[in-house]
Amino acid sequence: MTRTINDNGAWCWFQDERALTDPGTGTLVVGSVAAPEGPGGEARAGTIELTVVDLATGGSVVVPLHERLEADDHDAPALWRRRDGRWLAVYAKHKTDDLTRWRISDTDDPRGPWGPERTYDWSERTGGAGVTYANLHELDGRLYCFARAVNDDQCALVSDDDGETWAYAGKLFTRPKVGYVNGYTRYSSRPGSPDRIDVVTTDHHPRDFDNSIYHGYLADGALRRSDGSVLDPDPLHGEGLSQEGLTTVVAAGSVHGGVPVTHCWTTDVRRAADGTVAMVVTARHDTPDDPADAFERFRDVTDHRFLYARLAPGGEWEVHHLALAGPGLLPHEQDYTGLAAIDPEDLDSLYVSTPVDPRDGTVLAHHEIFHGRTADGGATWAWTAVTEDSAVDNLRPIVAPGDPGNRPLLWFRGEMTASQHYRCEVVLHGS
């Protein structure tokens, strides 16, 4: 069963966790941003919202965190469950100011009330260039909020009081800026295992640079490559080093599924309880006659691929073709795809949004959601349709972590013409 839980909402994919479950109460919390095209129109546009779902009854309520902040899916909040049971939500505009914002619920009930919004001002460090995203992860007893900030590099705030107050920690990476911004980074950590944060990143934006994909992790006070060797012995205490020193997982121009792939982008990453790490990457298989045309923003990119990469403890990365991802989602963002989500408790299971049926290659009228399962580490996949014959696109799935016994599947569906303009509703499947 699939049902609408918020009639106006969408999210970007560079903030986490965007959805969390509370196993004690059977509650699901999902962050999203309302758009002017949806119900509520301009009066609701840009409102940062939480949808709180009782998974037992199916009842849901939408809680506004900040009304009319900015109509942009990049502003979606990251969520964290504090030690005292209360909820933390952190969010930022899309480079249009220098504030990281946060609110904390007054009790353990995410339906509210919520305490006042507080802010951290980055402007002294950014020079007014803006900040984007929030990613909340614990490491060695401290809570980190990773954001794209100084020089559009990956930076972090740190909190020693579970998000009550924040201070600048430093840069995770730094390198000369190319084009719009520097690397796009995804993070992964496991609840109850606050001794490691996995990091997967690119060089720059794929429209400005032929990106490779790099992996490393923070543990034991150092930034390490996939094999445990140390890249930076003192990370997040200054300028940081280039992400090029991490382990290359997918090199630009490498061959996967029998074809070369380029202009890679990070999509999802998860680490299992046994230490295995898996990620999904999107990449172009698209070679223009003139190589310079690869960086033309409005050139159609008609063939994107999903790749699945897996690292067993003590092993090396194995990269496999996963599925066709179809053409670029938006004319001005030709590297946007429908995306994919790995089950945080089962790395053999994932969901993709694609307009090409992975079972037989049929081109579909809209992006549909498919479930994939592998029995051989990602070399081959068995596929099942979750949606079929849809009248609109089904985009950006999430498998919500928090309760190992109940991992709800979410996505949004509708029409999206830009990160700032969409008429989409948030849906919950199978719970």
Side-chain angles (χ1 to χ4, degrees):
M1 179 180 69
T2 301
R3 64 181 184 277
T4 300
I5 57 173
N6 187 329
D7 62 3
N8 184 355
W11 47 75
C12 185
W13 67 105
F14 289 108
Q15 56 284 100
D16 276 316
E17 297 289 347
R18 290 158 290 164
L20 280 175
T21 56
D22 174 13
T25 62
T27 301
L28 167 69
V29 184
V30 186
S32 59
V33 184
E37 292 78 9
E42 290 293 341
R44 189 177 170 190
T47 297
I48 310 303
E49 297 179 340
L50 298 180
T51 304
V52 182
V53 183
D54 184 325
L55 294 173
T57 67
S60 62
V61 60
V62 176
V63 179
L65 289 179
H66 187 132
E67 294 186 352
R68 299 180 297 280
L69 176 65
E70 181 182 53
D72 194 309
D73 66 20
H74 291 62
D75 302 359
L79 305 174
W80 181 259
R81 193 72 187 281
R82 291 164 42 110
R83 290 174 177 82
D84 62 9
R86 293 188 292 162
W87 294 78
L88 168 67
V90 185
Y91 43 98
K93 286 187 174 183
H94 186 190
K95 286 189 69 175
T96 56
D97 72 18
D98 296 271
L99 301 178
T100 287
R101 299 163 166 87
W102 71 95
R103 294 183 69 180
I104 299 172
S105 63
D106 288 350
T107 70
D108 61 0
D109 187 348
R111 293 172 297 181
W114 284 71
E117 181 180 88
R118 287 172 277 178
T119 61
Y120 177 87
D121 189 347
W122 294 80
S123 59
E124 182 178 341
R125 301 179 185 277
T126 63
V131 63
T132 313
Y133 306 135
N135 292 270
L136 298 173
H137 296 275
E138 184 180 359
L139 182 65
D140 297 332
R142 311 184 84 188
L143 184 60
Y144 288 83
C145 178
F146 295 93
R148 194 180 68 204
V150 185
N151 190 48
D152 285 313
D153 288 313
Q154 307 305 308
C155 304
L157 303 177
V158 64
S159 175
D160 290 313
D161 50 19
D162 232 7
E164 289 285 347
T165 60
W166 294 92
Y168 181 66
K171 281 189 175 185
L172 183 59
F173 307 121
T174 191
R175 65 191 297 181
K177 188 173 172 181
V178 173
Y180 176 55
V181 297
N182 283 336
Y184 282 80
T185 306
R186 298 297 309 270
Y187 307 85
S188 181
S189 60
R190 289 191 59 81
S193 301
D195 56 354
R196 171 169 164 156
I197 300 173
D198 281 86
V199 179
V200 56
T201 191
T202 70
D203 300 276
H204 303 282
H205 193 294
R207 70 165 173 261
D208 298 322
F209 195 87
D210 189 4
N211 286 333
S212 297
I213 299 292
Y214 309 97
H215 170 266
Y217 63 95
L218 292 159
D220 299 320
L223 175 61
R224 301 173 181 273
R225 302 177 183 90
S226 299
D227 63 3
S229 62
V230 174
L231 171 62
D232 189 343
D234 190 27
L236 297 172
H237 292 93
E239 283 298 300
L241 302 177
S242 170
Q243 55 266 50
E244 293 173 292
L246 294 174
T247 300
T248 301
V249 180
V250 181
S254 57
V255 174
H256 301 283
V259 300
V261 297
T262 63
H263 297 261
C264 302
W265 220 351
T266 48
T267 300
D268 197 19
V269 58
R270 293 290 182 183
R271 179 167 57 92
D274 67 359
T276 302
V277 181
M279 72 174 77
V280 175
V281 172
T282 56
R284 301 181 190 180
H285 171 55
D286 177 85
T287 306
D289 293 335
D290 183 347
D293 289 345
F295 300 100
E296 168 57 46
R297 183 167 187 177
F298 292 96
R299 184 183 66 85
D300 289 340
V301 176
T302 59
D303 186 353
H304 289 90
R305 306 292 175 104
F306 289 119
L307 307 179
Y308 178 85
R310 191 158 176 157
L311 175 70
E316 296 183 353
W317 284 100
E318 295 184 358
V319 183
H320 301 284
H321 171 81
L322 176 63
L324 299 177
L329 188 63
L330 304 175
H332 61 290
E333 290 285 7
Q334 69 265 60
D335 293 285
Y336 278 19
T337 68
L339 300 180
I342 302 169
D343 186 328
E345 298 296 333
D346 183 359
L347 304 190
D348 291 334
S349 172
L350 53 71
Y351 297 85
V352 300
S353 164
T354 177
V356 183
D357 192 325
R359 298 170 295 187
D360 58 14
T362 299
V363 176
L364 307 170
H366 293 284
H367 282 71
E368 305 283 4
I369 304 293
F370 293 89
H371 176 240
R373 176 163 289 282
T374 182
D376 51 17
T380 60
W381 294 84
W383 295 99
T384 304
V386 177
T387 65
E388 294 181 285
D389 301 321
S390 299
V392 293
D393 286 332
N394 302 274
L395 301 170
R396 298 181 182 170
I398 300 172
V399 184
D403 180 359
N406 187 8
R407 285 102 67 193
L409 172 63
L410 303 139
W411 65 88
F412 60 83
R413 64 187 178 192
E415 180 183 10
M416 171 173 274
T417 58
S419 295
Q420 301 77 27
H421 296 284
Y422 43 86
R423 187 179 180 90
C424 295
E425 59 184 15
V426 179
V427 299
L428 171 65
H429 177 78
S431 294

